[in-house]
Structure formats: structure tokens, C-alpha cells
Amino acid sequence: MELINLSDITVSYDGKNNILEKLNLKIKEGELVSLLGPSGCGKTTTLRVVAGFIEPTSGKFIFDNEDYTKIPVHKRNFGLVFQSYALFPHLNVFDNVAFGLKMRKIDKKLIEEEVFKILDIVDMKNFAKRYPRELSGGQRQRVAIGRALIVQPKLLLLDEPLSNLDAKLRLQMRVEIRKLQQKLGITTLFVTHDQEECFSISDKVAVMNKGLIEQFDTPENIYSNPSTEFVARFVGFENFIDLFLIGENIYEGKGENKFKVDTLIKKEGNIKGTIRPEDIQIIRDDKKENAIDGVVEIRTYLGKSYQYNISTSLGTLIINDFNDEVYKKGDKVKLYLPPNKIVLV
């Protein structure tokens, strides 16, 4: 069932430059959806529109079949976790989590029951009397999530919640967030600029660029089949070649190189093909199909592999090679571009 429908959402702060440009997004109930993109792409603005902090210049926000476009923040019953966690420093863990219920003047005994229930879920029951200054970054994050969940929100909004943690703790906490989200079945909108973080926990990902969603799909499809050059570059594709369709799944590149491309998407005319550095193979045998000659320009040691910049008739290609044989500058090599690894964007 569709819970969220952002329809033609436009946001402009000065009436001239749009932060969001007719953005459309639909999220099903129970999904964890991430907004992914570089700084300034509009992902936090989108979340703030959903939260109610920003009223769009035009467009509608439909939530659970109701128009929420102009409903104020305090009437939306959404849980929000900020980048800074925004805990009250003068309140202990129990009172921070209980704050939302106390504001609703709920019975004291019921508040105590609900708070300890939530603290148990976020694994902070033994820290109820501690203050934020006495907690680690990961513990403060758990408290912030607990405070957001205590009001039994219809939607959980997470704005870069892991950015203040060190690398090891980020890895641990993203797993915890996913486990918690699946356990409670709560629809969640997660904002991040970190591709690995996003792909590891999301059901769907919206890749944003300049106020628009360039691709909305599963992490697997975005990683393997980016639909635009921007998305491809953002998820790690580094080699782009100009191609032209000349036959059934046969494309021609510069230097009259011909490539077979295994794809269900048929694109005619001048297009771009892209392939990851780790998918190009340095080969010994003389394969005619999808093979080109090159010369090593630069070699870089990456630990598990060597990265080579190789000059070809298509331009310079970047290759991550895991073979034992090491090539030096000036070596002539033959490259194989597997038909099923070339993506058309």
C-alpha cells in the first residue's frame, strides 16, 4: 500500500532558484527508502518538506490518502532523528525519551511502562539515569531514535544520523537501524550522502541531483544498471565511452571498435556506454569480440589489486586488475570488455 506520495514538489527560497524541481516520489508502507546524493542536491529539503518544516512552493504531499501539504509539524505525528541528535543536555535518558509523552500529558505510570519498553528495544534500559554527556555517540543516537519512536509515529525520518560517528560505529549502527526498522515495520525515510551506508540498509534508493530524482530503484538495480551518467558516476562507474548503434546489440565506438552489449534496454543514436574498472579484463588470448589494444600510462597499487590508466583508441580507461602479473608504464596490453558488463546510460 502506498503511504507517501510527493507529487510535483517544488521548493524555492527566493522565488527564482528552485531547490526542488517538480519532484515526485512514492513510498510504500513498511519500506525503508533512502535519499542519496551529493551536498546541495535537495535530499534534506525533501525530508524537511515531509517533516513539515518547509511548505513547498507548489505540489502536494499526500500521506495515507490525506493531504498533508499544509498540516503543521506538531500535528503530523512523525518521528525525527537529527544529525546532531538534539538531545536535551539537562535531562537524563529516561526523561529525554519520555519528553514526547509528557507533552501529551499521558498518565505517569503509562509513561514509565512505555519508556522502558522503548529503552529495551534500543538497548538502553541500563542507561536510563545517565545524561547525554555521559554517553558515547552510538548511545546518544539510540536515545534519539528511542525518543522518536516513543510517540508511535506513522513515519520515521532520519537526517544523516550516522555522520557524527566513527567508521566502525557507523557500520554497527546502520545494522542496528535496519534491524529495528524491520522489527517494528515502520516506514522510514533516510537521508545520507554515503552510498555504501545507503545501499546496505535500504529497500529502495532515490538518487538525487539538482533537485530531481534521477533514479528510484532497488540498491541492486542502481548499482548494476544506473539509468543516467550522473547516477553511474555516483555509484562508482569511471569508464565512459561514446557509442553508436549499428546492428542488433552491436555498437561502434571511436577507432571503429565494435562492441556487443548484452542489455534489455535498446538505445539508438549517439549514447554512452559505461563499465566499472574491476569489470575490464587484461587478457592474453586474442579475442576479436569486445577486445581493444592499449598502452599502460600509470600504475597504482591498491593493496588487493593494481589500478592501471590505459591509453586506448576509445580514450583512457581505468582498470582494477587482480591478476598476479604486474604491468609497467609503456607495456602494451589487450583489454576485454564483457558484453554483460557494459551499461548504456
Side-chain angles (χ1 to χ4, degrees):
M1 175 184 171
E2 202 174 277
L3 188 69
I4 293 173
N5 185 357
L6 294 170
S7 178
D8 289 334
I9 296 291
T10 296
V11 172
S12 174
Y13 294 128
D14 58 8
K16 298 177 182 179
N17 300 306
N18 293 334
I19 309 301
L20 300 179
E21 183 74 51
K22 292 189 175 181
L23 179 141
N24 292 280
L25 178 65
K26 294 180 181 180
I27 299 174
K28 294 179 181 178
E29 188 170 4
E31 283 186 324
L32 192 160
V33 170
S34 289
L35 303 179
L36 175 68
S39 298
C41 70
K43 54 188 185 294
T44 293
T45 299
T46 302
L47 182 135
R48 291 175 69 83
V49 167
V50 173
F53 294 123
I54 296 174
E55 186 176 317
T57 309
S58 62
K60 283 189 176 182
F61 167 38
I62 306 298
F63 181 81
D64 201 13
N65 294 319
E66 290 185 44
D67 190 345
Y68 267 58
T69 312
K70 296 182 182 295
I71 291 179
V73 177
H74 65 279
K75 291 186 177 180
R76 296 200 179 196
N77 193 34
F78 297 162
L80 181 59
V81 178
F82 297 94
Q83 183 176 346
S84 62
Y85 313 137
L87 300 177
F88 300 113
H90 63 289
L91 299 180
N92 62 24
V93 168
F94 180 94
D95 289 331
N96 259 288
V97 174
F99 184 80
L101 296 183
K102 287 181 178 179
M103 292 295 290
R104 299 182 182 193
K105 298 180 180 179
I106 291 173
D107 178 73
K108 189 175 180 181
K109 187 177 180 182
L110 181 59
I111 288 177
E112 186 172 343
E113 289 177 3
E114 291 300 314
V115 170
F116 278 111
K117 188 187 298 181
I118 288 293
L119 289 178
D120 190 40
I121 288 173
V122 297
D123 199 22
M124 288 296 293
K125 200 171 183 178
N126 295 330
F127 299 86
K129 294 183 179 180
R130 291 196 186 181
Y131 289 84
R133 64 179 178 274
E134 300 172 307
L135 303 174
S136 68
Q139 290 169 335
R140 286 197 292 270
Q141 187 202 53
R142 291 173 191 268
V143 177
I145 293 173
R147 186 178 62 182
L149 293 174
I150 193 72
V151 295
Q152 298 181 357
K154 296 179 179 179
L155 177 66
L156 181 61
L157 305 173
L158 303 171
D159 186 11
E160 299 271 11
L162 308 179
S163 61
N164 291 331
L165 305 178
D166 61 51
K168 186 176 181 181
L169 193 53
R170 285 181 74 147
L171 185 63
Q172 176 187 337
M173 290 310 302
R174 75 190 190 199
V175 174
E176 292 300 320
I177 286 175
R178 183 55 163 163
K179 283 169 61 179
L180 186 61
Q181 187 268 336
Q182 289 183 328
K183 180 178 180 180
L184 299 175
I186 185 170
T187 308
T188 301
L189 189 60
F190 185 96
V191 167
T192 182
H193 63 274
D194 188 306
Q195 175 198 320
E196 183 180 327
E197 177 179 289
C198 164
F199 282 11
S200 67
I201 66 172
S202 306
D203 294 306
K204 293 275 190 69
V205 176
V207 182
M208 296 188 65
N209 179 33
K210 297 179 180 178
L212 289 171
I213 293 173
E214 293 227 354
Q215 188 169 357
F216 182 51
D217 211 330
T218 63
E220 294 86 354
N221 281 340
I222 290 175
Y223 185 85
S224 301
N225 297 293
S227 60
T228 68
E229 183 176 347
F230 172 83
V231 175
R233 290 186 184 278
F234 198 80
V235 299
F237 285 84
E238 296 186 66
N239 299 301
F240 291 84
I241 52 180
D242 294 317
L243 297 173
F244 186 86
L245 182 67
I246 59 172
E248 186 65 31
N249 285 0
I250 303 297
Y251 292 82
E252 184 174 78
K254 289 180 182 177
E256 298 185 352
N257 293 286
K258 294 180 177 58
F259 296 95
K260 184 175 185 300
V261 180
D262 291 341
T263 177
L264 296 175
I265 303 169
K266 189 173 182 178
K267 297 185 178 182
E268 298 184 0
N270 293 305
I271 59 165
K272 281 190 183 293
T274 182
I275 185 168
R276 291 182 180 276
E278 60 270 25
D279 290 332
I280 298 178
Q281 302 168 20
I282 298 177
I283 58 173
R284 287 183 174 278
D285 55 324
D286 190 20
K287 289 187 179 180
K288 291 183 180 179
E289 183 184 82
N290 285 45
I292 58 172
D293 294 318
V295 178
V296 176
E297 292 180 337
I298 299 172
R299 182 185 72 199
T300 307
Y301 181 57
L302 302 180
K304 292 182 179 179
S305 66
Y306 282 95
Q307 185 172 88
Y308 297 98
N309 287 40
I310 296 181
S311 175
T312 75
S313 56
L314 297 173
T316 299
L317 298 180
I318 299 172
I319 293 92
N320 289 349
D321 185 56
F322 294 85
N323 295 322
D324 293 332
E325 187 171 356
V326 179
Y327 301 91
K328 62 182 183 297
K329 182 178 179 179
D331 282 353
K332 294 181 179 180
V333 294
K334 188 171 287 290
L335 305 179
Y336 174 59
L337 284 62
N340 63 332
K341 297 297 183 181
I342 300 174
V343 178
L344 303 180
V345 294

Coordinates of all heavy atoms in Angstrom, one line a residue, residues 131-189:
Y131 N 23.1 11.0 31.7 CA 22.8 12.2 30.9 C 23.6 12.1 29.6 O 24.6 11.3 29.5 CB 23.3 13.4 31.7 CG 22.4 13.7 32.9 CD1 22.5 13.1 34.1 CD2 21.3 14.7 32.7 CE1 21.7 13.4 35.2 CE2 20.5 14.9 33.8 CZ 20.6 14.3 35.0 OH 19.8 14.5 36.0
P132 N 23.2 12.8 28.6 CA 23.8 12.8 27.3 C 25.3 12.9 27.3 O 26.0 12.2 26.6 CB 23.2 13.9 26.5 CG 21.8 14.0 27.1 CD 22.0 13.7 28.6
R133 N 25.9 13.8 28.2 CA 27.3 13.9 28.2 C 28.0 12.7 28.7 O 29.2 12.6 28.5 CB 27.6 15.1 29.2 CG 27.2 14.9 30.6 CD 27.6 16.1 31.5 NE 27.2 15.9 32.9 CZ 26.0 16.2 33.3 NH1 25.1 16.8 32.5 NH2 25.7 16.0 34.6
E134 N 27.3 11.8 29.3 CA 27.9 10.6 29.9 C 27.8 9.4 28.9 O 28.1 8.3 29.2 CB 27.2 10.2 31.2 CG 27.3 11.2 32.3 CD 26.5 10.9 33.5 OE1 25.3 10.7 33.4 OE2 27.1 10.9 34.6
L135 N 27.3 9.6 27.7 CA 27.0 8.6 26.7 C 28.0 8.7 25.5 O 28.5 9.8 25.2 CB 25.6 8.7 26.2 CG 24.5 8.6 27.2 CD1 23.1 8.8 26.5 CD2 24.5 7.3 28.0
S136 N 28.2 7.6 24.9 CA 29.0 7.6 23.6 C 28.1 8.1 22.5 O 26.9 8.2 22.6 CB 29.5 6.2 23.3 OG 28.4 5.3 23.0
G137 N 28.7 8.3 21.3 CA 28.0 8.8 20.2 C 26.9 7.8 19.8 O 25.8 8.2 19.5
G138 N 27.2 6.5 19.8 CA 26.3 5.5 19.4 C 25.1 5.4 20.4 O 24.0 5.2 20.0
Q139 N 25.4 5.6 21.7 CA 24.4 5.5 22.7 C 23.5 6.7 22.6 O 22.2 6.6 22.8 CB 25.0 5.5 24.1 CG 25.7 4.1 24.4 CD 26.6 4.2 25.7 OE1 27.0 5.2 26.1 NE2 26.8 3.0 26.3
R140 N 24.0 7.9 22.3 CA 23.2 9.1 22.1 C 22.3 8.9 20.9 O 21.1 9.3 20.9 CB 24.1 10.3 21.9 CG 24.7 10.8 23.2 CD 25.2 12.2 23.1 NE 26.4 12.3 22.2 CZ 27.6 12.2 22.5 NH1 28.0 11.9 23.8 NH2 28.6 12.3 21.6
Q141 N 22.8 8.2 19.9 CA 21.9 8.0 18.7 C 20.8 7.1 19.1 O 19.6 7.3 18.6 CB 22.8 7.4 17.6 CG 22.0 7.3 16.3 CD 22.5 6.2 15.4 OE1 22.7 5.1 15.8 NE2 22.8 6.6 14.2
R142 N 21.0 6.1 19.9 CA 20.0 5.1 20.3 C 18.9 5.9 21.1 O 17.7 5.6 20.9 CB 20.5 4.0 21.1 CG 21.4 3.0 20.4 CD 22.1 2.1 21.4 NE 23.1 1.3 20.8 CZ 22.9 0.1 20.2 NH1 21.7 -0.4 20.2 NH2 23.9 -0.6 19.7
V143 N 19.3 6.8 21.9 CA 18.4 7.6 22.7 C 17.5 8.4 21.8 O 16.3 8.5 22.0 CB 19.1 8.5 23.8 CG1 18.1 9.3 24.5 CG2 19.9 7.6 24.8
A144 N 18.2 9.1 20.8 CA 17.4 9.9 19.9 C 16.4 9.1 19.1 O 15.3 9.5 18.9 CB 18.4 10.6 18.9
I145 N 16.8 7.9 18.7 CA 15.8 7.0 18.0 C 14.7 6.6 18.9 O 13.5 6.6 18.5 CB 16.5 5.8 17.4 CG1 17.5 6.2 16.3 CG2 15.5 4.8 16.9 CD1 18.4 5.1 15.8
G146 N 15.0 6.3 20.2 CA 14.0 5.9 21.2 C 13.0 7.1 21.4 O 11.8 6.8 21.5
R147 N 13.5 8.3 21.5 CA 12.7 9.4 21.7 C 11.7 9.6 20.5 O 10.6 10.0 20.6 CB 13.5 10.7 21.9 CG 12.7 11.9 22.2 CD 13.6 13.1 22.4 NE 14.3 13.5 21.2 CZ 15.2 14.5 21.2 NH1 15.5 15.2 22.3 NH2 15.8 14.8 20.1
A148 N 12.2 9.3 19.3 CA 11.4 9.4 18.1 C 10.3 8.4 18.0 O 9.2 8.6 17.5 CB 12.3 9.4 16.8
L149 N 10.7 7.2 18.5 CA 9.7 6.0 18.5 C 8.7 6.0 19.6 O 7.6 5.4 19.4 CB 10.5 4.7 18.5 CG 11.4 4.4 17.3 CD1 12.2 3.2 17.6 CD2 10.6 4.2 16.1
I150 N 8.9 6.7 20.7 CA 8.0 6.6 21.8 C 6.6 7.1 21.5 O 5.7 6.7 22.1 CB 8.6 7.4 23.0 CG1 7.9 7.1 24.3 CG2 8.6 8.9 22.7 CD1 8.2 5.7 24.9
V151 N 6.5 8.0 20.6 CA 5.2 8.6 20.3 C 4.4 7.7 19.2 O 3.4 8.1 18.7 CB 5.3 10.0 19.7 CG1 5.8 10.9 20.8 CG2 6.2 10.1 18.5
Q152 N 5.0 6.5 18.9 CA 4.4 5.6 18.0 C 4.1 6.3 16.6 O 3.0 6.4 16.2 CB 3.1 5.0 18.5 CG 3.4 4.1 19.8 CD 2.1 3.5 20.3 OE1 1.0 3.7 19.8 NE2 2.3 2.7 21.4
P153 N 5.2 6.8 16.0 CA 5.0 7.6 14.8 C 4.5 6.8 13.6 O 4.9 5.6 13.6 CB 6.4 8.2 14.5 CG 7.3 7.2 15.1 CD 6.6 6.7 16.3
K154 N 3.8 7.4 12.7 CA 3.4 6.7 11.5 C 4.6 6.6 10.5 O 4.6 5.8 9.6 CB 2.3 7.4 10.8 CG 1.0 7.4 11.7 CD -0.1 8.2 10.9 CE -1.4 8.2 11.7 NZ -2.5 9.0 11.0
L155 N 5.6 7.5 10.7 CA 6.7 7.6 9.8 C 8.0 8.0 10.6 O 7.9 8.9 11.5 CB 6.4 8.7 8.7 CG 7.5 9.0 7.7 CD1 7.8 7.8 6.8 CD2 7.1 10.2 6.9
L156 N 9.1 7.4 10.3 CA 10.4 7.7 10.9 C 11.3 8.4 9.9 O 11.5 7.9 8.8 CB 11.1 6.5 11.5 CG 12.4 6.7 12.2 CD1 12.2 7.6 13.4 CD2 13.0 5.3 12.6
L157 N 11.8 9.6 10.3 CA 12.6 10.4 9.4 C 14.0 10.5 10.0 O 14.2 11.0 11.2 CB 12.0 11.8 9.2 CG 10.6 11.9 8.7 CD1 10.1 13.3 8.7 CD2 10.5 11.3 7.3
L158 N 15.0 10.1 9.3 CA 16.4 10.1 9.7 C 17.3 11.0 8.8 O 17.4 10.7 7.7 CB 16.9 8.7 9.7 CG 16.2 7.6 10.6 CD1 16.7 6.2 10.3 CD2 16.2 7.9 12.0
D159 N 17.8 12.1 9.4 CA 18.6 13.0 8.6 C 20.1 12.9 8.9 O 20.5 13.4 10.0 CB 18.1 14.4 8.9 CG 18.8 15.5 8.0 OD1 19.4 15.1 7.1 OD2 18.7 16.7 8.3
E160 N 20.8 12.2 8.1 CA 22.2 11.9 8.3 C 22.6 11.5 9.7 O 23.4 12.0 10.3 CB 23.0 13.2 7.9 CG 22.9 13.7 6.5 CD 23.9 13.1 5.6 OE1 24.6 12.1 6.0 OE2 24.0 13.6 4.4
P161 N 21.9 10.5 10.2 CA 22.0 10.1 11.7 C 23.3 9.5 12.0 O 23.7 9.4 13.2 CB 20.9 9.1 11.9 CG 20.7 8.4 10.5 CD 20.9 9.5 9.5
L162 N 24.1 9.1 11.0 CA 25.4 8.4 11.3 C 26.6 9.2 11.1 O 27.7 8.8 11.3 CB 25.5 7.1 10.5 CG 24.3 6.1 10.6 CD1 24.5 4.9 9.7 CD2 24.1 5.7 12.0
S163 N 26.4 10.4 10.6 CA 27.6 11.2 10.1 C 28.5 11.7 11.2 O 29.7 12.0 10.9 CB 27.1 12.5 9.3 OG 26.3 13.3 10.2
N164 N 28.1 11.7 12.5 CA 29.0 12.1 13.5 C 29.7 11.0 14.2 O 30.4 11.2 15.2 CB 28.2 12.9 14.6 CG 27.7 14.3 14.1 OD1 28.4 14.8 13.2 ND2 26.6 14.7 14.5
L165 N 29.5 9.7 13.7 CA 30.1 8.6 14.3 C 31.4 8.2 13.6 O 31.5 8.5 12.4 CB 29.1 7.4 14.3 CG 27.8 7.7 15.0 CD1 26.9 6.4 14.8 CD2 27.9 8.0 16.4
D166 N 32.3 7.5 14.3 CA 33.5 7.0 13.6 C 33.1 5.8 12.7 O 32.0 5.2 12.8 CB 34.6 6.6 14.6 CG 34.2 5.5 15.5 OD1 33.7 4.4 15.0 OD2 34.4 5.6 16.7
A167 N 34.0 5.4 11.8 CA 33.7 4.4 10.8 C 33.2 3.1 11.3 O 32.2 2.5 10.8 CB 35.0 4.2 9.9
K168 N 33.9 2.6 12.4 CA 33.5 1.3 12.9 C 32.1 1.4 13.5 O 31.2 0.4 13.4 CB 34.5 0.9 14.0 CG 34.2 -0.5 14.5 CD 35.3 -1.0 15.5 CE 35.1 -2.4 16.0 NZ 36.1 -2.8 17.0
L169 N 31.8 2.4 14.2 CA 30.5 2.6 14.9 C 29.4 2.8 13.8 O 28.2 2.4 14.0 CB 30.5 3.7 15.9 CG 29.4 3.8 16.9 CD1 29.2 2.5 17.6 CD2 29.6 4.9 17.9
R170 N 29.7 3.5 12.8 CA 28.7 3.7 11.7 C 28.3 2.4 11.1 O 27.1 2.2 10.9 CB 29.3 4.6 10.6 CG 29.5 6.0 10.9 CD 30.1 6.8 9.7 NE 29.1 6.9 8.7 CZ 29.1 8.0 7.9 NH1 29.9 9.0 8.1 NH2 28.2 8.1 7.0
L171 N 29.2 1.5 10.9 CA 28.9 0.2 10.4 C 28.0 -0.6 11.3 O 27.0 -1.2 10.9 CB 30.2 -0.6 10.2 CG 30.2 -2.0 9.5 CD1 29.6 -1.8 8.1 CD2 31.5 -2.7 9.5
Q172 N 28.3 -0.5 12.6 CA 27.5 -1.2 13.6 C 26.1 -0.6 13.7 O 25.1 -1.3 13.7 CB 28.2 -1.1 15.0 CG 27.4 -1.7 16.1 CD 28.0 -1.5 17.5 OE1 29.3 -1.2 17.5 NE2 27.3 -1.5 18.5
M173 N 26.0 0.7 13.7 CA 24.7 1.4 13.9 C 23.8 1.3 12.7 O 22.6 1.2 12.9 CB 24.9 2.8 14.3 CG 25.5 3.0 15.7 SD 24.7 2.1 17.0 CE 23.0 2.8 16.9
R174 N 24.4 1.2 11.5 CA 23.5 1.1 10.4 C 22.8 -0.3 10.4 O 21.6 -0.4 10.0 CB 24.2 1.3 9.1 CG 25.1 0.2 8.6 CD 26.0 0.7 7.4 NE 26.7 -0.4 6.8 CZ 27.8 -0.2 6.0 NH1 28.2 1.0 5.8 NH2 28.4 -1.2 5.5
V175 N 23.5 -1.3 10.9 CA 22.9 -2.6 11.0 C 21.8 -2.6 12.1 O 20.7 -3.2 11.9 CB 23.9 -3.7 11.4 CG1 23.3 -5.0 11.7 CG2 24.9 -3.8 10.3
E176 N 22.0 -1.9 13.2 CA 21.1 -1.7 14.3 C 19.8 -1.0 13.8 O 18.7 -1.4 14.1 CB 21.7 -1.0 15.4 CG 22.8 -1.8 16.2 CD 22.3 -3.1 16.7 OE1 21.1 -3.1 17.3 OE2 23.0 -4.1 16.6
I177 N 20.0 0.0 13.0 CA 18.8 0.8 12.5 C 18.0 -0.1 11.6 O 16.7 -0.1 11.7 CB 19.3 2.0 11.7 CG1 19.8 3.1 12.7 CG2 18.2 2.6 10.8 CD1 20.4 4.3 12.0
R178 N 18.6 -0.9 10.7 CA 17.9 -1.8 9.8 C 17.1 -2.9 10.6 O 16.0 -3.1 10.3 CB 18.9 -2.4 8.8 CG 18.2 -3.3 7.8 CD 17.1 -2.6 7.0 NE 16.7 -3.3 5.8 CZ 15.6 -3.1 5.1 NH1 14.7 -2.1 5.6 NH2 15.3 -3.7 4.0
K179 N 17.8 -3.4 11.6 CA 17.1 -4.5 12.4 C 15.9 -3.9 13.1 O 14.8 -4.5 13.2 CB 18.1 -5.0 13.4 CG 19.1 -6.0 12.9 CD 20.3 -6.3 13.8 CE 19.8 -7.0 15.1 NZ 20.9 -7.3 16.0
L180 N 16.1 -2.7 13.7 CA 15.0 -2.0 14.4 C 13.8 -1.7 13.5 O 12.7 -1.9 13.8 CB 15.5 -0.8 15.1 CG 14.6 0.0 16.0 CD1 14.2 -0.9 17.2 CD2 15.3 1.2 16.5
Q181 N 14.2 -1.2 12.3 CA 13.1 -0.8 11.3 C 12.3 -2.0 10.9 O 11.1 -2.0 10.8 CB 13.8 -0.1 10.1 CG 12.8 0.5 9.1 CD 12.4 -0.5 8.0 OE1 13.2 -1.4 7.7 NE2 11.2 -0.3 7.4
Q182 N 13.0 -3.1 10.7 CA 12.3 -4.4 10.2 C 11.5 -5.0 11.4 O 10.4 -5.5 11.1 CB 13.4 -5.4 9.7 CG 14.0 -5.0 8.4 CD 14.9 -6.0 7.8 OE1 15.6 -6.7 8.5 NE2 15.0 -6.1 6.5
K183 N 12.0 -4.9 12.6 CA 11.3 -5.4 13.7 C 10.0 -4.7 14.0 O 9.0 -5.3 14.2 CB 12.2 -5.3 15.0 CG 11.6 -5.9 16.2 CD 12.5 -5.7 17.4 CE 11.9 -6.3 18.7 NZ 12.9 -6.2 19.9
L184 N 10.0 -3.4 13.8 CA 8.8 -2.6 14.1 C 8.0 -2.4 12.9 O 6.8 -2.0 13.0 CB 9.3 -1.2 14.6 CG 10.1 -1.2 15.9 CD1 10.5 0.3 16.3 CD2 9.2 -1.8 17.1
G185 N 8.6 -2.6 11.7 CA 7.8 -2.5 10.4 C 7.4 -1.0 10.1 O 6.4 -0.8 9.4
I186 N 8.2 -0.1 10.6 CA 7.9 1.3 10.5 C 8.4 1.9 9.2 O 9.6 1.6 8.8 CB 8.4 2.1 11.7 CG1 7.9 3.6 11.6 CG2 9.9 2.1 11.8 CD1 8.1 4.4 12.8
T187 N 7.6 2.6 8.4 CA 8.0 3.2 7.2 C 9.1 4.3 7.6 O 8.9 5.1 8.5 CB 6.9 3.9 6.5 OG1 5.8 3.0 6.4 CG2 7.3 4.4 5.1
T188 N 10.2 4.3 6.8 CA 11.3 5.1 7.2 C 11.9 5.8 6.0 O 12.1 5.2 4.9 CB 12.5 4.3 7.9 OG1 11.9 3.6 9.0 CG2 13.6 5.1 8.3
L189 N 12.2 7.1 6.1 CA 12.9 7.9 5.1 C 14.2 8.3 5.7 O 14.3 9.0 6.7 CB 12.0 9.2 4.8 CG 12.5 10.0 3.6 CD1 12.5 9.1 2.3 CD2 11.6 11.2 3.4

